[in-house]
Each structure stands twice: as C-alpha cells, then as structure tokens.
C-alpha cells in the first residue's frame, strides 16, 4: 500500500517482516518486493530475482512465529528419551496463557502443559520437557520422526497452534571415537548443493537438484 516496510541486505538468508500496521481491512492490499543485484556483492553474478519460496503467515494476538520452536534430545534414559522444547511466544498484549505440548507417533507419545504470564512483545525463550517412553530413535537406516503439536490457550480460547517434526537421537564427538550417533560410530557424509544449474539460472528447482 505504498508504505516502506524493510530492507534485507543478504539475499541468501531468510527473513520475516511484520505487515500488520500497514494492512487495511476490507480491501485488496498491494505488496511489492524488489531485488537489486548490487555490483561486487558476491564472488560471482548472483542473479536478480526471488529464487526461494515466499509465504504469507497469519497469526493472532498471541502466537509462536516461524522458526521459534527448536526440539533437541536432552538425554536417553534406557528405552526412554527426555526431549527439550525451546520456544518463544510473541504477544500483542499482557496475558496469562496455558500451553499444551503433545508428541505424536502412532498415537500420543508424550504430553505436558505449562502456564505462562506473557508481556506485550516478544517474550524470552522458554523450555518445556517431555519424556517419550520406548522412544524410536532416528538414524539414516531408520529415519523415525515424531510430530510435536503446541496449542496456546488464552482463557478457554485457542489462540495459536503450531507443529514441527523431529527425530530422537544423540550425537557426540571425540578424538578417540570420532562421531557417535546413538552411541554407534558413523561417518559424516554430505554433499555441496549449490544453486547453479547453468542456463536454468540461480533458481533452485527440485527436479534440477
């Protein structure tokens, strides 16, 4: 709607922009994104344009924004796993909320609940713990994945819901044993996926990859 929002100086990294203050309800809003291939901004010509996905995210007054959930395996206890969920809640008001966490794989694997007092703005990083019994471990040969669902309730109203997939595994490194995945030695393998497909340009098409 002809209002300047933001500039992002690095074309290879993702970023978020809050549109809320400039969105007008009840009309068709105009959103313009421009790119500028500045000279000497990269070792080679980087192309000009938008080569990755662009999403419009909608959220309410209380929400977990994209990339604000991170799940790690804190430790294994026999056949069980202790999972740490690091998360950040953003709120446009002061509120007392209830947050439900549910790990799912072939049924509910673990659940917990927390109560938080939120201040207006981006609240600090919180941590929740879940114990998954008889955990199925992730490995290259058995890539077992769980789904974590997070629901935030403002009173009785569901304010936001988020989901993320994760694997349960432990990783350690030492000079004596190298890299251990779930306590077993494994070689770290990988490849350089570079978005350069000749005449196709700088876009990264799944079929070309």
């Amino acid at each position: 709607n002809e209002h300047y929002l933001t500039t992002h100086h690095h074309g290879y990294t993702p970023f978020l922009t809050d549109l809320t203050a400039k969105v007008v309800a009840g009309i068709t809003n105009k959103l313009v994104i421009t790119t500028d291939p500045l000279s000497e901004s990269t070792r080679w010509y980087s192309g000009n344009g938008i080569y990755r996905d662009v999403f419009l995210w909608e959220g309410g007054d209380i929400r977990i924004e994209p990339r604000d959930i991170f799940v790690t395996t804190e430790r294994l206890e026999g056949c069980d796993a202790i999972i740490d969920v690091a998360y950040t809640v953003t709120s446009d008001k002061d509120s007392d909320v209830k947050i439900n966490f549910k790990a799912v794989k072939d049924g509910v694997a673990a659940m917990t609940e927390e109560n938080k007092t939120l201040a207006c703005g981006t609240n600090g990083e919180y941590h929740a713990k879940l114990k998954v019994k008889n955990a199925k471990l992730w490995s290259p040969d058995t890539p077992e994945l769980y789904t974590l669902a997070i629901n935030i309730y403002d009173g009785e109203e569901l304010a936001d819901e988020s989901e993320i997939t994760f694997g349960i595994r432990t990783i350690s490194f030492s000079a004596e044993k190298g890299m251990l995945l779930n306590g077993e030695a494994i070689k770290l393998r990988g490849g350089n996926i570079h978005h350069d497909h000749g005449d196709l340009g700088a876009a990264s098409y799944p079929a070309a990859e």
Side-chain angles (χ1 to χ4, degrees):
N1 300 333
E2 309 302 335
H3 295 284
Y4 166 78
L5 291 174
T6 190
T7 294
H8 185 68
H9 292 287
H10 197 293
Y12 294 98
T13 58
F15 67 101
L16 295 172
T17 300
D18 190 350
L19 312 179
T20 307
K22 303 301 181 183
V23 170
V24 180
I27 69 167
T28 299
N29 288 262
K30 179 182 179 181
L31 177 63
V32 176
I33 304 172
T34 62
T35 62
D36 187 357
L38 299 175
S39 61
E40 301 178 354
S41 62
T42 185
R43 288 179 295 169
W44 304 284
Y45 171 64
S46 60
N48 186 33
I50 300 174
Y51 305 126
R52 299 296 185 268
D53 292 329
V54 178
F55 299 99
L56 179 64
W57 293 83
E58 294 179 280
D61 292 340
I62 301 171
R63 61 201 176 273
I64 296 178
E65 297 191 347
R67 297 187 294 276
D68 276 353
I69 306 172
F70 196 76
V71 182
T72 56
T73 305
E74 185 173 282
R75 66 184 184 276
L76 299 179
E77 295 181 346
C79 295
D80 304 335
I82 306 301
I83 303 303
D84 178 81
V85 181
Y87 65 100
T88 300
V89 181
T90 301
S91 181
D92 294 334
K93 60 181 181 180
D94 298 338
S95 183
D96 293 321
V97 299
K98 178 176 64 177
I99 308 176
N100 291 336
F101 302 83
K102 183 186 298 183
V104 177
K105 180 177 178 60
D106 303 323
V108 177
M111 294 179 63
T112 192
E113 183 177 288
E114 294 188 344
N115 295 306
K116 297 293 182 184
T117 298
L118 303 178
C120 182
T122 300
N123 290 255
E125 183 178 272
Y126 300 122
H127 290 265
K129 307 289 184 183
L130 293 93
K131 184 174 184 178
V132 178
K133 294 186 176 181
N134 298 315
K136 296 182 179 180
L137 302 185
W138 182 97
S139 73
D141 295 327
T142 58
E144 302 281 358
L145 292 177
Y146 290 74
T147 298
L148 176 70
I150 303 179
N151 291 336
I152 304 177
Y153 289 90
D154 183 14
E156 298 299 321
E157 180 182 356
L158 178 62
D160 193 32
E161 51 188 342
S162 299
E163 283 191 355
I164 188 173
T165 56
F166 68 96
I168 298 175
R169 79 286 184 275
T170 61
I171 298 176
S172 62
F173 299 88
S174 70
E176 294 76 23
K177 297 182 179 180
M179 177 182 175
L180 300 182
L181 175 67
N182 300 327
E184 298 181 2
I186 187 173
K187 298 295 185 182
L188 182 62
R189 301 180 177 91
N192 177 18
I193 300 178
H194 192 74
H195 71 167
D196 182 3
H197 296 297
D199 292 342
L200 295 180
S204 182
Y205 300 103
E209 298 290 2

